[in-house]
Amino acid sequence: MLLELRIRNFAIIDEMSLSFSKGFNVITGETGAGKSILLNAVHLLAGGKAGEELIRSSEEEASVEAIFNISGNREVAEKVKERSGRTHLPGEDETCLVRRVISRSGRAKAFLNENLATLGTLSEVGEKLLSIYGQHEHQSLQRAETHLDILDEFGGLVRLRKEYQEHFERFLSLSGDIRRIRDENERGIKERELMTFQLREIEDSGIQAGEEEALKGERRMLTHGRKLIDFVNTSGEHLYEGEGSVVERIQTILRQGTEMAVIDPSLSEVVKGLEGASIQLEEVALGLRDYSKRIEVNPMRLEEVENRLEGINRLKRKYGSTVQEVLRFKRRLEEGLNSLTSGEEKLSHLEGILGSVREEMIALVKNLSWERKRVASGLQKAVEKELGSLGMKRTVFEIRFEETDFSPKGIDRVEFLLSPNVGEEVKPLGRIASGGELSRMMLAMKKILARVGGRQVLIFDEVDSGIGGAVAEVVGKTLEELSRHHQVICVTHLPQIACFADTHYAVKKEVKGKRTVTVVDRLEREAIVDEIARMLGGVKVTEKTRAHAKEMIQNTRK
């Protein structure tokens, strides 16, 4: 139930606060007074689009907020709790605050129970709180694509359809994955052959990290082996082995120094240095001797090394500028081949899942189609009954089914057919129904769906389009009956409808200062009679029109 609506700086509304009652609320007023502005504001609370043109001139921002009582509406309470974190305002029992703020700077904001919310969230919650029927909404009945939605809502099949849709979307997703993997596998056949060849070539080479540097070092040794041997031999001869070698001379000096140190002890340090030098030189000489054993002059081995380096260079020319890059390329080949292999395994796995999902999807869609056909007869009877009460007696209403390919809504195409005149064959609504008939058709649907739907606030914007007289009175009675189970808010021009109201609001324009503003008054007793008399007789209200207005109101109370 909508408890209160507050609007500030919206269109020509300066500041307004309206409290709504249970039952049937009616909003009336002259054309252009601003009645529909109120409903435009409510549209914002349901996530509708907003532009800065809706902001009152000379103001920077506009706001619309509403307080709803959601007690007894478990579905709405759960949705509000899910989106805002709590089900009611602090200190309030089961109430929900929805607020929109729009500004010229473009920084629009939405709030749900004082928490920032997205428009998507507002739209989700708004669908549960409000059902808005605009004066042109009946035209949507002319579009056959809306008929299936109405049938599913009437039959309580929305949950079953959603379950099918989940399977359908998964089926499409899996099918897309399978097509992609198959395409990749087809493209991968030639790639696999090439990659396998390349990997085998690298693996057969046995190339290893650091091998190239080691081979180059060995090649240098083999190429310059003779020079190295000559160097070692010459150095050994001079240092240790030859007559008059460096070691021999140092030892001669060492003997003489030892004798001199007896004379002058200060030469002891020099002697020690000579002893160290002699030992070091002997070690160097021995090191050269060991090194000479490792030097190889082997033309055959040199040729082997050259060939191996040439093989490595060939791999580098094909797969990378360095050995490290060649080895990285090898790892990529291994990963690519593993991916192709896993792709085939994944394809087989997905095809198995797809089969199961397809079986479940087919079972669900067949059940959904069967349920639709089962509830269709109930909707047909309910619509014919409601249309009869709305002045369209003996109207024939039929629902035509046509099987289609799988779609998000199933395998059924549904179209509503109507014959408002006895003896005429049924035809699509768009080809036969007048504006007044479509209005009554939509009202009948609203009344029927209201019985099976949630406890929404039902809002009607000039539902009286295309009707008048006795039919208007029947429409008013129908709205009053609806209000026994739902809060109903209706904008109307017809006194035959307004006289059924439990609460009556009148909208008018006033000039305050130098600005036009919209004002809404809640009418009581005599003011209600005056407003309905105005609606009956125009600008001039006479005692006769007032008496007629009183009579109309009294008749609705019987």
Side-chain angles (χ1 to χ4, degrees):
M1 175 178 167
L2 176 58
L3 299 176
E4 189 170 350
L5 178 67
R6 301 168 188 158
I7 305 172
R8 186 172 64 84
N9 296 331
F10 187 83
I12 57 172
I13 296 176
D14 185 10
E15 193 158 350
M16 178 185 297
S17 179
L18 286 177
S19 296
F20 290 95
S21 305
K22 292 181 179 179
F24 189 19
N25 297 263
V26 160
I27 300 172
T28 63
E30 296 182 1
T31 301
K35 300 184 297 298
S36 293
I37 292 176
L38 297 177
L39 298 191
N40 289 338
V42 174
H43 269 288
L44 291 185
L45 298 175
K49 294 182 179 179
E52 64 174 72
E53 69 277 0
L54 296 175
I55 302 173
R56 185 168 169 79
S57 299
S58 77
E59 300 293 341
E60 288 303 311
E61 67 176 31
S63 65
V64 180
E65 64 180 56
I67 299 176
F68 293 88
N69 184 334
I70 57 175
S71 60
N73 196 329
R74 184 178 177 182
E75 185 179 12
V76 174
E78 288 177 353
K79 181 64 69 174
V80 171
K81 184 177 181 180
E82 175 190 340
R83 295 304 184 186
S84 71
R86 58 176 185 265
T87 56
H88 54 82
L89 292 172
E92 300 290 341
D93 181 24
E94 301 255 346
T95 54
C96 169
L97 171 68
V98 181
R99 181 155 59 102
R100 284 284 300 275
V101 178
I102 55 177
S103 70
R104 297 193 186 279
S105 65
R107 293 193 297 272
K109 295 179 181 178
F111 299 87
L112 183 61
N113 276 356
E114 297 181 342
N115 293 323
L116 278 171
T118 64
L119 289 186
T121 295
L122 229 58
S123 180
E124 263 187 88
V125 174
E127 284 179 5
K128 304 296 182 183
L129 292 171
L130 301 164
S131 179
I132 303 173
Y133 167 48
Q135 56 182 313
H136 301 299
E137 188 181 339
H138 63 268
Q139 294 174 0
S140 67
L141 272 177
Q142 296 175 298
R143 301 197 306 272
E145 57 266 25
T146 66
H147 299 174
L148 195 59
D149 299 332
I150 293 172
L151 178 63
D152 286 348
E153 186 176 353
F154 170 78
L157 303 177
V158 174
R159 183 168 296 178
L160 178 58
R161 186 169 99 177
K162 185 177 181 181
E163 186 180 359
Y164 156 75
Q165 283 176 336
E166 289 172 354
H167 280 73
F168 177 73
E169 289 169 3
R170 192 173 182 210
F171 177 81
L172 290 182
S173 176
L174 286 169
S175 298
D177 290 342
I178 288 171
R179 281 195 303 272
R180 177 180 55 78
I181 293 173
R182 280 176 178 164
D183 291 342
E184 289 176 354
N185 285 352
E186 287 177 7
R187 291 194 303 269
I189 291 174
K190 291 184 178 179
E191 291 179 10
R192 182 197 298 274
E193 293 175 357
L194 176 60
M195 291 167 69
T196 302
F197 170 80
Q198 292 173 328
L199 181 60
R200 187 180 298 120
E201 184 178 26
I202 297 173
E203 286 179 337
D204 290 348
S205 74
I207 189 170
Q208 296 179 359
E211 181 185 3
E212 184 180 27
E213 290 74 14
L215 287 170
K216 286 181 177 178
E218 186 179 358
R219 183 178 62 181
R220 285 194 301 273
M221 292 283 289
L222 289 167
T223 301
H224 302 287
R226 180 56 60 189
K227 288 183 179 179
L228 291 171
I229 289 173
D230 289 345
F231 166 74
V232 170
N233 290 338
T234 302
S235 298
E237 184 75 19
H238 290 318
L239 284 174
Y240 187 76
E241 297 173 355
E243 185 178 349
S245 66
V246 174
V247 171
E248 183 180 333
R249 292 179 180 181
I250 288 177
Q251 287 177 345
T252 299
I253 297 171
L254 179 60
R255 285 194 300 272
Q256 293 174 354
T258 301
E259 293 174 0
M260 294 301 105
V262 173
I263 300 171
D264 184 359
S266 66
L267 290 174
S268 296
E269 291 299 319
V270 174
V271 171
K272 288 180 181 179
L274 288 170
E275 288 175 346
S278 177
I279 293 170
Q280 284 183 342
L281 286 172
E282 287 180 9
E283 289 176 352
V284 169
L286 291 173
L288 286 171
R289 184 182 301 169
D290 291 338
Y291 174 74
S292 68
K293 295 176 183 178
R294 300 198 306 271
I295 299 172
E296 183 180 8
V297 179
N298 188 340
M300 292 181 63
R301 176 55 187 165
L302 178 59
E303 185 177 358
E304 289 177 4
V305 171
E306 292 285 7
N307 290 337
R308 179 59 175 165
L309 286 170
E310 177 56 30
I312 291 174
N313 286 330
R314 281 198 302 270
L315 291 176
K316 287 163 59 178
R317 285 194 293 269
K318 295 171 73 173
Y319 306 123
S321 60
T322 65
V323 172
Q324 287 79 5
E325 288 185 13
V326 173
L327 293 174
R328 278 198 292 269
F329 185 76
K330 175 176 175 283
R331 286 194 292 273
R332 288 198 297 272
L333 290 172
E334 291 169 339
E335 292 168 0
L337 287 169
N338 287 336
S339 176
L340 289 174
T341 302
S342 64
E344 291 175 353
E345 294 172 354
K346 186 176 181 182
L347 178 62
S348 177
H349 177 66
L350 289 180
E351 285 175 336
I353 296 175
L354 182 69
S356 299
V357 171
R358 187 174 187 277
E359 288 178 7
E360 293 172 7
M361 180 183 72
I362 290 173
L364 285 168
V365 82
K366 284 183 176 179
N367 186 30
L368 179 60
S369 182
W370 185 88
E371 287 289 341
R372 284 167 171 167
K373 292 179 175 68
R374 181 182 65 81
V375 301
S377 60
L379 180 58
Q380 287 178 195
K381 292 175 183 176
V383 169
E384 288 179 349
K385 181 180 178 181
E386 290 301 329
L387 289 177
S389 70
L390 289 168
M392 294 176 67
K393 297 184 184 298
R394 303 180 71 182
T395 292
V396 178
F397 174 74
E398 290 185 6
I399 301 175
R400 176 184 293 166
F401 279 83
E402 178 185 340
E403 188 169 332
T404 66
D405 293 331
F406 285 87
S407 75
K409 293 184 178 182
I411 55 172
D412 299 306
R413 182 182 182 276
V414 165
E415 185 169 17
F416 294 161
L417 307 175
L418 192 73
S419 173
N421 302 307
V422 177
E424 293 291 327
E425 65 178 30
V426 291
K427 295 180 181 178
L429 297 183
R431 290 170 50 194
I432 191 169
S434 66
E437 288 166 341
L438 284 172
S439 269
R440 281 176 280 176
M441 182 78 176
M442 177 58 80
L443 184 57
M445 289 292 184
K446 286 288 183 182
K447 186 175 179 182
I448 293 166
L449 296 178
R451 297 185 194 129
V452 298
R455 298 293 298 276
Q456 296 169 304
V457 179
L458 303 182
I459 300 178
F460 296 90
D461 184 9
E462 299 187 12
V463 70
D464 47 29
S465 176
I467 61 173
V471 174
E473 185 176 344
V474 172
V475 169
K477 180 63 177 173
T478 301
L479 290 171
E480 188 274 330
E481 290 174 358
L482 265 177
S483 71
R484 297 173 191 175
H485 307 285
H486 296 261
Q487 183 188 40
V488 174
I489 301 172
C490 178
V491 173
T492 183
H493 286 290
L494 296 181
Q496 295 95 327
I497 293 176
C499 65
F500 283 92
D502 296 310
T503 309
H504 195 139
Y505 302 88
V507 181
K508 61 183 178 181
K509 283 183 180 178
E510 291 183 354
V511 177
K512 291 185 177 180
K514 295 183 179 181
R515 302 194 69 175
T516 301
V517 295
T518 291
V519 178
V520 181
D521 294 319
R522 179 168 176 162
L523 305 182
E524 303 292 344
R525 297 182 180 179
E526 292 303 312
I528 294 174
V529 173
D530 289 340
E531 177 64 8
I532 291 179
R534 180 197 65 76
M535 296 170 74
L536 284 166
V539 178
K540 188 175 181 181
V541 176
T542 65
E543 287 303 317
K544 187 175 181 179
T545 54
R546 292 188 86 260
H548 188 188
K550 278 185 179 180
E551 183 181 1
M552 290 176 69
I553 295 170
Q554 289 169 357
N555 287 339
T556 65
R557 303 295 185 261
K558 291 180 181 179

